[in-house]
Structures are given as structure tokens and as C-alpha cells.
Amino acid sequence: MKYIFTCIIALLSLFSFSQNDISLEYYLPKGINYNPEIPTPQSILGYVPGKWHATHDKLLNYMRALAKASPRITIQERGTTFEDRPIILLTITSKKNHNNLNMIQNKHVKLTQKEASSVDIENLPAVVYQGFSIHGNEPSGSNASLVAAYYLAAAQGQEINNLLDNVVILFDPSLNPDGLQRFAYWANTNKSKNINPDPQDREYSEVWPGARTNHYWFDMNRDWLPVQLPESKARIQTFHQWYPNILTDHHEMGSNSTFFFQPGIQSRTHPLTPKLNQKLTKKIANYHAEALDNIGSLYYTEENFDDFYYGKGSTFPDINGGIGILFEQGSSRGHAQQTENGILTFPFTIRNQFTTALSTLEAAKSIRKELLEYKRSFYSNARNEPAKDAYIFGNEKDAASSYHMAEILKKHQVKLYDLQKDVSIKGNVFKKGYSYVVPKNQRQKRLLKAIFEKRTTFQDSLFYDVSAWTFPLAFNLDYIDNAPTSYLGNEISELTHKKGNTIIKSKYAYLMQWHEYYTPKALYSILSKGIRAKVGMKPFSVENNEYDYGTIMIPVQNQRLNNEELHRLLQEVALENHIDITGVSTGLTKGIDLGSNKFKALSLPRIGLITGKGITSYDAGEVWHLMDQRYDIPITKLTTDTFDKIELSKYTHIILPNSWGQAFDKQEIEKLKTWVYNGGTLIGYRNAAQFFATNEFMKIEFVTPENTAKNIIFEQKQDFYGAQVIGGAIFEANIDRSHPINFGYKNDKISLFRNTKLFIKPDKQSYNNPITYTKKPLLSGYISQKNLDLLSGTVPFRHHNMGKGNTVLFTDNTNFRAFWYGTNKLLMNAIFFSNTM
């Protein structure tokens, strides 16, 4: 025992010395001279990469220093993150190419157009977009970017000259500046002088929510297609300015893994991706294998990960004529960890990322013509695919939701047109100014198909991410996928929101329909000014206008503002939120009169959001972002660690996102119950169903699937259980529009995103089931037949009166990844109208 302990101490001492003694030469290829006028990373950082985790500000300083010193590099700022960190891009190539950069860029874009055959590719450089560490706590990529940028700026000789003459590198050293900064702080502040590789050390266990995500806790590697976040908007704009031939995405995985590079499991490639894409990916993989062989690093390929969801960095290029490549490095999660493969050091992880960054460029140089020809053929073949009709999408009562989907399409360089006139197609009414027409016969034909299609059959039943993302369903829009192009109006060069109406001043009351996306923001703004408002529980008509369930009525009488001030406030609210507010001169209606008790008084909500240990940070972040960025509604983030000390009476509503494990102890549960009994509304998501049932917040009867394996051998065990997972698909539900949870929806059906197997039996009383899955609910995506049969007729929503308060449950995520606009209003209805249910 004493001998073993002595060996461990000796090993740690040796390791600690070698870590601190790391040099730049550890990373760089041998036998190359470097320009002494180019600053080394350590001259700016104060240390060789790998000794400490580089914070974003230091990484930024170094990239700016390189751009100043090297004629091979230019730098641009493309915006800022939520935390106001610059989103930068380096363009790295030869001086000759820099002098002709506009011409090179124009030719690359032209390769995607009808004139592509006229582009001479004989001497045209390939374009490679290299992106590092989109997950902030996977930092080896961004730290490797320090070494890679130095090498590309300072290396001398014919080899580097030939590379830079043949390749233009779009170099993104940190795809997630906020997350990288957060993780560097954690790893550095917990580093010991004598580095301890014990995986149980605090250094290797980040506090909640971790630094994988951006400011609002989004996984940004799922946002390449939806484009909802500032970092995504910047990189997508760059992408479509160039259509790079290769895009690399440098990640990390579990510490006991080695190194992975694509191709992944090829049966899980999206059917719209050409076969040649995977062949070229495999050809490029040979360069990675050779480079890693030369430094003795273990690796694997084709055993996991996939190329199905086009919203990931390694897959998005595949639907845009390029090759996306995923790199996954076993993570040290700090400065070193003991693993199954020995002690894994941070410098070692950096070296593998650096090595494959260079092997990618070598591949791009060597198969340059193949890559250029592939891009040309991708778009040429797409143009030859029959497409004479158009998509039409819209919502005749919600212009903002239609606008925001159109906004995504514009970011992807899709041509959009106004609707020529109001039309009715297949029972759907499309209104001019509320709808858009998208002809299929355009450059982004295949991308459009990926965005609009509903797919329910698959070659493989396992998915690394979601299996469906049909955008018009996500936005709760009516749409037709085979409309004639005769409906095309004018092409839209610049999108604009619908303007709110000019309000006629009233001495009696103002009415606001609840259909538009931004009505919750408008209502909160009104209530926050101390203005009284009520919600109509039944439809009615007055002065030649029809008003639906959920109409908001603002009486003029007995308000804290006089007539002029109230009119001015409501006019500002209407314009700011792109909505119509109508002044009326009488309370006498057809239906419920404006003085009826069927108008229920509303109060200003004060909202708490449960965060911290035991809570899924993605789900919590989506709610935080929705309230803070979309609706300008203040929300207090309450932590599970301090829940026992929180004064709950400050809040009217508390939102409990998806949770894992036990977030609360027995006393805290009783505290929460007492708060509900006294009038609070507790809104739970997904696994909160188990919490509600176990702790008697709500009686729930679950339908539980049986997973009995028959004729399944041990080797197939993982795939058997994986096929029962609902990774993310879209399902149809019937809705009772008279129930307050569904106010603002115009149709009697809704599309829901689901990634859980929580199946709940409906209540015996039909009026308690305002949202119920249809008999054949699958709209798009994968679900096993067994689970689909169980889902049919179950309910994704429950409400229960508890004392003076309410418990509300959603089994599905109504705020998924910030682009599921279509169900955001379900949460807002649960907040504003909980006391009317």
C-alpha cells in the first residue's frame, strides 16, 4: 500500500512539472521556421496555451495582435453577444488572395447560381470555415485556435505558402464567447499549483448551469437552422456570404473517450444530403487519421454521432453544398484528469484539435477541385429537380408569428414574396400582409424542403438530436406546400413588421384581440402602468367587429390615467407591439356585454423561475429568454440551493422547468404547497409531472409503456432501448378554444413538440381536457409504434385548483429552443389567465 501511494505521489509530481513546463513546440509541426515578427501566444497571454484556460478577452487580444502584425490576417467584428462580447472573424489566406478577396468571394457565391458553369475553378481557392468551442466548457478547440492562428500567421516556407494560396480560411476562434469566459473562470479559479487529476476534484465539477451554453443557457449548436441567437445570426450571415466548402466544428466529449471525427453512422444521414457528401467526408477523414497517427493519438470514426438534424454546425453545411465535419475530443474538463486512457492533460486535448485543424486545411488544399465541383453540382442538381409550385404560410390573425418565420428564411437567403391578394386554399385563409409566398424554384430549394417537410419514415430509428423541426408547425402557421406561383405578389427585399393601428380615442373602452404574438407583452405593459384590464371569456361582436375568446378589454372609467393619457399610452403600446387596439363607444354587444361578469379582472403577475441544481438549464433558460428578450416581463430566478430562505409571497406565479432528481426536500415541498394553497400558481414542465404526482400537487394517472425485448441479442440492447426514445418529434392535438389555456388560437388543432415519454390519461370530465392528442397524432418525426399507440388520446396539459391557488402542468416543452413560437402563448395564458380556469 505504501509503495502504491509513493508511486502515485511521484506520478503527480512528474505530471505537475511537465504541465507547467509546456512549450509551444509541443504543438507545432517539426522542422518549420516561424516569422519572429509575429507575436507568439505567450507574448500576449503571459503563458503558453494549455497552462491556463484562456479567457475570451485574452483570446480576443491575441487575435487582434495577430491581425495587426500579419498581412495574412484581417479581422472583423460581426456583432456582440448578450454579454456584449465581440463576435469576431479572422480571414486568413495569402497576401495575393487578400488582394482579390472580393473576386474570390463572388466566384464562390456564383458557384451556387445559374451562371455556375462559367466559373473557372482551376485556380480558385477553396474556402474553409473553422469554428471552435461552440460549447463553452469544451475549451480545447478555442485554446487550439491560439496555436492554429499563430501557425497560419507565422509559419514560413513553400508548404504554408502553397496552403494559403489555395485556401481561404474563415477563422472563428470562439463560437461561444460568453460560455468560454464562464468556463475559463471556473477551471482557472479551481486549479491547484500541484495539479490533481482526481476526477472527483472540484475543478472537474462545474456549478449549475455550467458553461456549455450561452448567456441564456442555450445550446448554440442547435441554432444553425433556427438562427435565434446573436452568435448564430453573425455566423449564418458569414456562411451565406461565402458558402464554404468545408466547415469544421470542434467539440469535446466524455473524458474516457479518445478522439472522434466524421463520418458518423451513415445510416443516420438525412436523405436530402447527397451520397457524395459522405464520400468526400470519408476522403477528408483519411487526412485526419494520418495526422493523428503521426503524433500517436487514438481516434475512431463511423461509430456514433450522425448527420440528420440540419441545425448543428457539422450538418448545416450538408444542405448548403458544403461538407460539415464534427471533431469530438475526450475532455480534460480542467487541466488534467485520470481516465481509462491514463492521465488526460489539457495540452494533449489542445494538440489533437490543432492537429486536425491543420489536417482539414491540408485536405482542402489537396482535393480543392473536387470540393469546388461538388458545390457547383449540388446546386446544379437541385435546380434540375422539378419544382414549379410554391409554399404559402401565414396566420390571418397573427402577423408577427408569420413575420418571424419569414425572418429566418431571409437569413438563409430565401426569396420571399407578398401574397398578391387574400386567398382561401384547402380550408385555410391566407391574408395579404399576414402571409408569405415562397417559390420552390430558387437556389435554396433543398434547404426549403428541409425546413417545410413533414417526414415520418426513416432508415434508422436512432437519432443524436431531434427527428423533426417543420417550421410552419413550430410557428403554429397555416401552410400549403403545393400552391400555384400565380399567388406571388412583389418580392420582399426588406421585411417589416405589421404596423399597429391608429387608435380612435374612446370615452368608453378599448378592445385588444389576443391572437397576435406580442399581445402578452402589450398586456404586461398595460398592467404594469396600473391600468385595469379584463379578459373576455366568450366571443362577442360590437360595432361591426367580431371578438374572440380571450379579448382584452380596457375600460376608460376609473383608471389612474385620464382619457388623453390612456389613449396616448395605448397608442404607444399598439405601435411598439405591432398590434391593433380598437376604441369602442358602447358596451352593448351581440354576445357578452362589456360590463358582463364574463369579463374577468386581470392582475399584474410577479413571476419566479426555479433554477439551480436539479433543474434542466436549457428549459429554464428558454423561459428566462422568452420573458426577458421577447416579452419584456421581469422574472426572478430562484435557486434550489436557497429555496428554504426565499419569501414566496412576493410571487403570484412560480415556474418549475424540467427537473431531474430531487430538487426540493420535504420541508421545501410543504412550503411550496402552502404558497399554492394561499393563492399562488405553480406551473410545471415535463418531469415536473412526476414531482406533482408524488407530492400530491395533482392527481395524475400515467400510461406506462412495457419494454420487453424479444429476439434481441446483447449487442442490440442499446439500439433496442434507443429506438423507444422520443428524441424530438411533432404531434397534433385537439384543443378546446373556450378554455383559457387556449385563448388566442384560431384553429381547433395545435402542433406540439414532444421529447418525453410522459403519457397521461385524460380526465373523466371532458372539459378538463382542453388539449388532447388526436387518434393519429404523429405529424413529423420518429416515434416507435408502441409509443405512438400509447400517446393517442392522452393529454399534454393538466390544471388543478388547489386551495386558493392553481397547479398547471405541461408534459411538452412549449418554449423549445426559442423558435417554437407557436406554443409560447400556452405559457403566457397559464400566467395571465390561471385564475380564470
Side-chain angles (χ1 to χ4, degrees), residues 391-396 418-437 478-480 483-489 746:
Y391 301 102
I392 295 181
F393 65 90
N395 183 326
E396 60 175 315
D418 277 326
L419 190 63
Q420 195 177 77
K421 60 181 180 179
D422 295 357
V423 295
S424 180
I425 310 173
K426 298 180 181 179
N428 297 302
V429 175
F430 295 100
K431 187 176 175 182
K432 183 177 172 64
Y434 289 69
S435 305
Y436 300 88
V437 188
D478 299 323
Y479 82 109
I480 302 294
T485 55
S486 58
Y487 292 127
L488 264 69
K746 71 180 185 67

mmCIF file of all heavy atoms in Angstrom, residues 391-396 418-437 478-480 483-489 746:
data_model
loop_
_atom_site.group_PDB
_atom_site.id
_atom_site.type_symbol
_atom_site.label_atom_id
_atom_site.label_comp_id
_atom_site.label_asym_id
_atom_site.label_seq_id
_atom_site.Cartn_x
_atom_site.Cartn_y
_atom_site.Cartn_z
ATOM 1 N N TYR A 391 -44.593 27.373 -51.688
ATOM 2 C CA TYR A 391 -45.127 27.283 -50.327
ATOM 3 C C TYR A 391 -45.855 28.589 -50.014
ATOM 4 O O TYR A 391 -45.394 29.672 -50.394
ATOM 5 C CB TYR A 391 -44.003 27.120 -49.297
ATOM 6 C CG TYR A 391 -43.124 25.904 -49.482
ATOM 7 C CD1 TYR A 391 -41.855 26.035 -50.051
ATOM 8 C CD2 TYR A 391 -43.544 24.641 -49.069
ATOM 9 C CE1 TYR A 391 -41.030 24.938 -50.196
ATOM 10 C CE2 TYR A 391 -42.716 23.535 -49.211
ATOM 11 C CZ TYR A 391 -41.458 23.683 -49.785
ATOM 12 O OH TYR A 391 -40.639 22.597 -49.939
ATOM 13 N N ILE A 392 -46.955 28.485 -49.315
ATOM 14 C CA ILE A 392 -47.605 29.658 -48.733
ATOM 15 C C ILE A 392 -47.764 29.390 -47.248
ATOM 16 O O ILE A 392 -48.196 28.306 -46.848
ATOM 17 C CB ILE A 392 -48.994 29.935 -49.350
ATOM 18 C CG1 ILE A 392 -48.870 30.293 -50.828
ATOM 19 C CG2 ILE A 392 -49.688 31.092 -48.611
ATOM 20 C CD1 ILE A 392 -50.206 30.609 -51.492
ATOM 21 N N PHE A 393 -47.397 30.363 -46.425
ATOM 22 C CA PHE A 393 -47.596 30.202 -44.988
ATOM 23 C C PHE A 393 -48.074 31.518 -44.393
ATOM 24 O O PHE A 393 -47.769 32.601 -44.903
ATOM 25 C CB PHE A 393 -46.312 29.731 -44.290
ATOM 26 C CG PHE A 393 -45.169 30.705 -44.322
ATOM 27 C CD1 PHE A 393 -45.005 31.650 -43.304
ATOM 28 C CD2 PHE A 393 -44.241 30.690 -45.353
ATOM 29 C CE1 PHE A 393 -43.950 32.548 -43.319
ATOM 30 C CE2 PHE A 393 -43.182 31.580 -45.376
ATOM 31 C CZ PHE A 393 -43.026 32.507 -44.359
ATOM 32 N N GLY A 394 -48.813 31.406 -43.297
ATOM 33 C CA GLY A 394 -49.292 32.613 -42.636
ATOM 34 C C GLY A 394 -50.323 32.286 -41.571
ATOM 35 O O GLY A 394 -50.726 31.140 -41.385
ATOM 36 N N ASN A 395 -50.738 33.317 -40.872
ATOM 37 C CA ASN A 395 -51.808 33.231 -39.877
ATOM 38 C C ASN A 395 -52.609 34.510 -40.011
ATOM 39 O O ASN A 395 -52.089 35.599 -39.754
ATOM 40 C CB ASN A 395 -51.221 33.093 -38.468
ATOM 41 C CG ASN A 395 -52.268 32.920 -37.394
ATOM 42 O OD1 ASN A 395 -53.368 33.467 -37.476
ATOM 43 N ND2 ASN A 395 -51.944 32.174 -36.353
ATOM 44 N N GLU A 396 -53.836 34.388 -40.436
ATOM 45 C CA GLU A 396 -54.645 35.562 -40.752
ATOM 46 C C GLU A 396 -54.892 36.471 -39.553
ATOM 47 O O GLU A 396 -55.326 37.613 -39.706
ATOM 48 C CB GLU A 396 -55.988 35.132 -41.340
ATOM 49 C CG GLU A 396 -56.801 34.264 -40.400
ATOM 50 C CD GLU A 396 -58.172 33.929 -40.938
ATOM 51 O OE1 GLU A 396 -58.834 34.853 -41.458
ATOM 52 O OE2 GLU A 396 -58.572 32.765 -40.831
ATOM 53 N N ASP A 418 -44.712 38.805 -51.270
ATOM 54 C CA ASP A 418 -46.018 39.125 -50.713
ATOM 55 C C ASP A 418 -47.078 38.235 -51.354
ATOM 56 O O ASP A 418 -46.907 37.758 -52.484
ATOM 57 C CB ASP A 418 -46.395 40.585 -51.017
ATOM 58 C CG ASP A 418 -45.777 41.558 -50.035
ATOM 59 O OD1 ASP A 418 -45.636 41.190 -48.857
ATOM 60 O OD2 ASP A 418 -45.437 42.678 -50.452
ATOM 61 N N LEU A 419 -48.156 38.056 -50.650
ATOM 62 C CA LEU A 419 -49.328 37.429 -51.243
ATOM 63 C C LEU A 419 -50.038 38.476 -52.093
ATOM 64 O O LEU A 419 -50.254 39.607 -51.653
ATOM 65 C CB LEU A 419 -50.245 36.914 -50.128
ATOM 66 C CG LEU A 419 -51.405 36.021 -50.508
ATOM 67 C CD1 LEU A 419 -50.907 34.728 -51.136
ATOM 68 C CD2 LEU A 419 -52.236 35.702 -49.268
ATOM 69 N N GLN A 420 -50.388 38.099 -53.313
ATOM 70 C CA GLN A 420 -50.983 39.059 -54.247
ATOM 71 C C GLN A 420 -52.326 39.595 -53.744
ATOM 72 O O GLN A 420 -52.621 40.780 -53.852
ATOM 73 C CB GLN A 420 -51.172 38.389 -55.608
ATOM 74 C CG GLN A 420 -51.448 39.342 -56.744
ATOM 75 C CD GLN A 420 -51.549 38.588 -58.062
ATOM 76 O OE1 GLN A 420 -52.567 37.956 -58.333
ATOM 77 N NE2 GLN A 420 -50.501 38.634 -58.872
ATOM 78 N N LYS A 421 -53.120 38.704 -53.134
ATOM 79 C CA LYS A 421 -54.428 39.090 -52.594
ATOM 80 C C LYS A 421 -54.854 38.024 -51.585
ATOM 81 O O LYS A 421 -54.253 36.953 -51.500
ATOM 82 C CB LYS A 421 -55.471 39.201 -53.709
ATOM 83 C CG LYS A 421 -55.681 37.896 -54.465
ATOM 84 C CD LYS A 421 -56.701 38.068 -55.579
ATOM 85 C CE LYS A 421 -56.882 36.733 -56.329
ATOM 86 N NZ LYS A 421 -57.883 36.848 -57.422
ATOM 87 N N ASP A 422 -55.873 38.324 -50.810
ATOM 88 C CA ASP A 422 -56.389 37.335 -49.868
ATOM 89 C C ASP A 422 -56.906 36.123 -50.640
ATOM 90 O O ASP A 422 -57.612 36.274 -51.654
ATOM 91 C CB ASP A 422 -57.537 37.925 -49.046
ATOM 92 C CG ASP A 422 -57.085 39.066 -48.142
ATOM 93 O OD1 ASP A 422 -55.875 39.356 -48.119
ATOM 94 O OD2 ASP A 422 -57.946 39.663 -47.472
ATOM 95 N N VAL A 423 -56.539 34.916 -50.153
ATOM 96 C CA VAL A 423 -56.988 33.696 -50.831
ATOM 97 C C VAL A 423 -57.398 32.658 -49.802
ATOM 98 O O VAL A 423 -56.955 32.683 -48.645
ATOM 99 C CB VAL A 423 -55.880 33.094 -51.733
ATOM 100 C CG1 VAL A 423 -55.542 34.027 -52.871
ATOM 101 C CG2 VAL A 423 -54.652 32.742 -50.927
ATOM 102 N N SER A 424 -58.259 31.740 -50.240
ATOM 103 C CA SER A 424 -58.667 30.601 -49.421
ATOM 104 C C SER A 424 -58.260 29.332 -50.171
ATOM 105 O O SER A 424 -58.689 29.120 -51.314
ATOM 106 C CB SER A 424 -60.170 30.625 -49.170
ATOM 107 O OG SER A 424 -60.559 29.520 -48.389
ATOM 108 N N ILE A 425 -57.405 28.516 -49.526
ATOM 109 C CA ILE A 425 -56.909 27.296 -50.162
ATOM 110 C C ILE A 425 -57.065 26.137 -49.190
ATOM 111 O O ILE A 425 -56.555 26.177 -48.069
ATOM 112 C CB ILE A 425 -55.421 27.419 -50.561
ATOM 113 C CG1 ILE A 425 -55.160 28.707 -51.333
ATOM 114 C CG2 ILE A 425 -54.969 26.217 -51.369
ATOM 115 C CD1 ILE A 425 -53.694 28.958 -51.604
ATOM 116 N N LYS A 426 -57.774 25.112 -49.622
ATOM 117 C CA LYS A 426 -57.941 23.893 -48.828
ATOM 118 C C LYS A 426 -58.417 24.202 -47.405
ATOM 119 O O LYS A 426 -57.924 23.633 -46.428
ATOM 120 C CB LYS A 426 -56.636 23.089 -48.792
ATOM 121 C CG LYS A 426 -56.176 22.602 -50.152
ATOM 122 C CD LYS A 426 -54.871 21.809 -50.062
ATOM 123 C CE LYS A 426 -54.406 21.357 -51.422
ATOM 124 N NZ LYS A 426 -53.124 20.605 -51.365
ATOM 125 N N GLY A 427 -59.335 25.140 -47.293
ATOM 126 C CA GLY A 427 -59.896 25.466 -45.991
ATOM 127 C C GLY A 427 -59.068 26.445 -45.180
ATOM 128 O O GLY A 427 -59.464 26.833 -44.074
ATOM 129 N N ASN A 428 -57.898 26.860 -45.684
ATOM 130 C CA ASN A 428 -57.041 27.825 -44.994
ATOM 131 C C ASN A 428 -57.186 29.201 -45.639
ATOM 132 O O ASN A 428 -57.138 29.322 -46.861
ATOM 133 C CB ASN A 428 -55.576 27.396 -45.066
ATOM 134 C CG ASN A 428 -55.330 26.083 -44.376
ATOM 135 O OD1 ASN A 428 -55.599 25.924 -43.192
ATOM 136 N ND2 ASN A 428 -54.818 25.107 -45.117
ATOM 137 N N VAL A 429 -57.350 30.204 -44.801
ATOM 138 C CA VAL A 429 -57.435 31.582 -45.293
ATOM 139 C C VAL A 429 -56.067 32.242 -45.134
ATOM 140 O O VAL A 429 -55.507 32.277 -44.041
ATOM 141 C CB VAL A 429 -58.501 32.391 -44.516
ATOM 142 C CG1 VAL A 429 -58.481 33.852 -44.956
ATOM 143 C CG2 VAL A 429 -59.877 31.779 -44.723
ATOM 144 N N PHE A 430 -55.535 32.732 -46.246
ATOM 145 C CA PHE A 430 -54.256 33.441 -46.221
ATOM 146 C C PHE A 430 -54.521 34.904 -46.572
ATOM 147 O O PHE A 430 -55.074 35.217 -47.619
ATOM 148 C CB PHE A 430 -53.274 32.813 -47.213
ATOM 149 C CG PHE A 430 -52.895 31.409 -46.856
ATOM 150 C CD1 PHE A 430 -53.500 30.329 -47.491
ATOM 151 C CD2 PHE A 430 -51.958 31.155 -45.875
ATOM 152 C CE1 PHE A 430 -53.159 29.031 -47.162
ATOM 153 C CE2 PHE A 430 -51.602 29.858 -45.533
ATOM 154 C CZ PHE A 430 -52.213 28.790 -46.176
ATOM 155 N N LYS A 431 -54.116 35.764 -45.668
ATOM 156 C CA LYS A 431 -54.443 37.176 -45.762
ATOM 157 C C LYS A 431 -53.219 37.976 -46.191
ATOM 158 O O LYS A 431 -52.116 37.762 -45.670
ATOM 159 C CB LYS A 431 -54.941 37.646 -44.392
ATOM 160 C CG LYS A 431 -55.493 39.054 -44.331
ATOM 161 C CD LYS A 431 -56.028 39.315 -42.927
ATOM 162 C CE LYS A 431 -56.498 40.753 -42.755
ATOM 163 N NZ LYS A 431 -56.977 40.998 -41.372
ATOM 164 N N LYS A 432 -53.404 38.843 -47.138
ATOM 165 C CA LYS A 432 -52.317 39.716 -47.596
ATOM 166 C C LYS A 432 -51.797 40.548 -46.421
ATOM 167 O O LYS A 432 -52.580 41.121 -45.667
ATOM 168 C CB LYS A 432 -52.813 40.625 -48.710
ATOM 169 C CG LYS A 432 -51.743 41.533 -49.325
ATOM 170 C CD LYS A 432 -52.332 42.334 -50.466
ATOM 171 C CE LYS A 432 -51.364 43.389 -50.992
ATOM 172 N NZ LYS A 432 -50.156 42.792 -51.574
ATOM 173 N N GLY A 433 -50.476 40.598 -46.262
ATOM 174 C CA GLY A 433 -49.868 41.310 -45.145
ATOM 175 C C GLY A 433 -49.635 40.423 -43.931
ATOM 176 O O GLY A 433 -48.879 40.786 -43.034
ATOM 177 N N TYR A 434 -50.284 39.240 -43.923
ATOM 178 C CA TYR A 434 -50.140 38.278 -42.826
ATOM 179 C C TYR A 434 -49.525 36.968 -43.333
ATOM 180 O O TYR A 434 -49.320 36.050 -42.547
ATOM 181 C CB TYR A 434 -51.494 37.963 -42.198
ATOM 182 C CG TYR A 434 -52.088 39.084 -41.386
ATOM 183 C CD1 TYR A 434 -52.545 40.248 -41.979
ATOM 184 C CD2 TYR A 434 -52.209 38.965 -39.998
ATOM 185 C CE1 TYR A 434 -53.105 41.275 -41.235
ATOM 186 C CE2 TYR A 434 -52.760 39.991 -39.239
ATOM 187 C CZ TYR A 434 -53.210 41.138 -39.868
ATOM 188 O OH TYR A 434 -53.757 42.154 -39.119
ATOM 189 N N SER A 435 -49.270 36.901 -44.639
ATOM 190 C CA SER A 435 -48.829 35.651 -45.267
ATOM 191 C C SER A 435 -47.696 35.922 -46.242
ATOM 192 O O SER A 435 -47.495 37.053 -46.702
ATOM 193 C CB SER A 435 -49.998 34.984 -46.000
ATOM 194 O OG SER A 435 -51.097 34.790 -45.148
ATOM 195 N N TYR A 436 -46.972 34.846 -46.580
ATOM 196 C CA TYR A 436 -45.838 34.950 -47.492
ATOM 197 C C TYR A 436 -45.879 33.792 -48.486
ATOM 198 O O TYR A 436 -46.343 32.691 -48.154
ATOM 199 C CB TYR A 436 -44.511 34.909 -46.728
ATOM 200 C CG TYR A 436 -44.367 36.037 -45.727
ATOM 201 C CD1 TYR A 436 -44.840 35.907 -44.419
ATOM 202 C CD2 TYR A 436 -43.772 37.245 -46.090
ATOM 203 C CE1 TYR A 436 -44.717 36.935 -43.504
ATOM 204 C CE2 TYR A 436 -43.651 38.288 -45.178
ATOM 205 C CZ TYR A 436 -44.132 38.123 -43.885
ATOM 206 O OH TYR A 436 -44.015 39.158 -42.982
ATOM 207 N N VAL A 437 -45.371 34.069 -49.676
ATOM 208 C CA VAL A 437 -45.282 33.048 -50.718
ATOM 209 C C VAL A 437 -43.802 32.784 -50.996
ATOM 210 O O VAL A 437 -43.016 33.721 -51.151
ATOM 211 C CB VAL A 437 -45.986 33.494 -52.015
ATOM 212 C CG1 VAL A 437 -46.048 32.338 -53.007
ATOM 213 C CG2 VAL A 437 -47.382 34.014 -51.725
ATOM 214 N N ASP A 478 -50.707 28.262 -40.652
ATOM 215 C CA ASP A 478 -51.303 27.518 -41.746
ATOM 216 C C ASP A 478 -50.305 27.517 -42.893
ATOM 217 O O ASP A 478 -49.615 28.524 -43.129
ATOM 218 C CB ASP A 478 -52.605 28.188 -42.196
ATOM 219 C CG ASP A 478 -53.641 28.239 -41.090
ATOM 220 O OD1 ASP A 478 -53.729 27.280 -40.308
ATOM 221 O OD2 ASP A 478 -54.356 29.260 -41.008
ATOM 222 N N TYR A 479 -50.237 26.408 -43.608
ATOM 223 C CA TYR A 479 -49.345 26.428 -44.776
ATOM 224 C C TYR A 479 -49.771 25.408 -45.817
ATOM 225 O O TYR A 479 -50.402 24.405 -45.512
ATOM 226 C CB TYR A 479 -47.888 26.238 -44.371
ATOM 227 C CG TYR A 479 -47.415 24.817 -44.128
ATOM 228 C CD1 TYR A 479 -46.538 24.199 -45.019
ATOM 229 C CD2 TYR A 479 -47.791 24.112 -42.993
ATOM 230 C CE1 TYR A 479 -46.064 22.919 -44.782
ATOM 231 C CE2 TYR A 479 -47.315 22.836 -42.743
ATOM 232 C CZ TYR A 479 -46.462 22.234 -43.645
ATOM 233 O OH TYR A 479 -45.978 20.975 -43.410
ATOM 234 N N ILE A 480 -49.440 25.723 -47.039
ATOM 235 C CA ILE A 480 -49.688 24.858 -48.187
ATOM 236 C C ILE A 480 -48.350 24.626 -48.861
ATOM 237 O O ILE A 480 -47.591 25.574 -49.088
ATOM 238 C CB ILE A 480 -50.664 25.522 -49.192
ATOM 239 C CG1 ILE A 480 -51.999 25.857 -48.508
ATOM 240 C CG2 ILE A 480 -50.883 24.632 -50.403
ATOM 241 C CD1 ILE A 480 -52.786 24.671 -48.056
ATOM 242 N N ALA A 483 -48.784 25.235 -53.579
ATOM 243 C CA ALA A 483 -49.629 26.313 -54.091
ATOM 244 C C ALA A 483 -49.105 26.808 -55.443
ATOM 245 O O ALA A 483 -47.887 26.782 -55.688
ATOM 246 C CB ALA A 483 -49.647 27.469 -53.098
ATOM 247 N N PRO A 484 -49.976 27.257 -56.320
ATOM 248 C CA PRO A 484 -49.509 27.793 -57.609
ATOM 249 C C PRO A 484 -48.745 29.093 -57.433
ATOM 250 O O PRO A 484 -49.044 29.887 -56.532
ATOM 251 C CB PRO A 484 -50.812 28.014 -58.395
ATOM 252 C CG PRO A 484 -51.870 28.142 -57.353
ATOM 253 C CD PRO A 484 -51.447 27.263 -56.212
ATOM 254 N N THR A 485 -47.775 29.333 -58.297
ATOM 255 C CA THR A 485 -46.972 30.561 -58.207
ATOM 256 C C THR A 485 -47.757 31.790 -58.664
ATOM 257 O O THR A 485 -47.261 32.913 -58.548
ATOM 258 C CB THR A 485 -45.693 30.425 -59.049
ATOM 259 O OG1 THR A 485 -46.041 30.087 -60.393
ATOM 260 C CG2 THR A 485 -44.782 29.357 -58.473
ATOM 261 N N SER A 486 -48.967 31.601 -59.155
ATOM 262 C CA SER A 486 -49.787 32.748 -59.570
ATOM 263 C C SER A 486 -50.169 33.638 -58.392
ATOM 264 O O SER A 486 -50.600 34.777 -58.572
ATOM 265 C CB SER A 486 -51.063 32.256 -60.268
ATOM 266 O OG SER A 486 -51.803 31.402 -59.407
ATOM 267 N N TYR A 487 -49.993 33.135 -57.175
ATOM 268 C CA TYR A 487 -50.305 33.937 -55.986
ATOM 269 C C TYR A 487 -49.177 34.896 -55.618
ATOM 270 O O TYR A 487 -49.334 35.705 -54.701
ATOM 271 C CB TYR A 487 -50.585 33.030 -54.789
ATOM 272 C CG TYR A 487 -51.856 32.224 -54.919
ATOM 273 C CD1 TYR A 487 -51.833 30.842 -54.765
ATOM 274 C CD2 TYR A 487 -53.074 32.834 -55.176
ATOM 275 C CE1 TYR A 487 -52.989 30.084 -54.865
ATOM 276 C CE2 TYR A 487 -54.243 32.087 -55.299
ATOM 277 C CZ TYR A 487 -54.202 30.714 -55.144
ATOM 278 O OH TYR A 487 -55.343 29.979 -55.251
ATOM 279 N N LEU A 488 -48.044 34.825 -56.310
ATOM 280 C CA LEU A 488 -46.909 35.689 -55.987
ATOM 281 C C LEU A 488 -47.255 37.153 -56.199
ATOM 282 O O LEU A 488 -47.756 37.543 -57.267
ATOM 283 C CB LEU A 488 -45.688 35.348 -56.859
ATOM 284 C CG LEU A 488 -44.652 34.402 -56.254
ATOM 285 C CD1 LEU A 488 -45.215 33.005 -56.124
ATOM 286 C CD2 LEU A 488 -43.393 34.378 -57.115
ATOM 287 N N GLY A 489 -46.971 37.948 -55.174
ATOM 288 C CA GLY A 489 -47.050 39.394 -55.320
ATOM 289 C C GLY A 489 -45.660 39.938 -55.582
ATOM 290 O O GLY A 489 -44.890 39.371 -56.364
ATOM 291 N N LYS A 746 -56.622 30.288 -33.150
ATOM 292 C CA LYS A 746 -57.797 30.400 -34.016
ATOM 293 C C LYS A 746 -58.286 29.052 -34.537
ATOM 294 O O LYS A 746 -59.434 28.918 -34.939
ATOM 295 C CB LYS A 746 -57.502 31.322 -35.199
ATOM 296 C CG LYS A 746 -56.548 30.773 -36.233
ATOM 297 C CD LYS A 746 -56.320 31.749 -37.370
ATOM 298 C CE LYS A 746 -55.450 31.132 -38.468
ATOM 299 N NZ LYS A 746 -56.133 30.016 -39.162
#
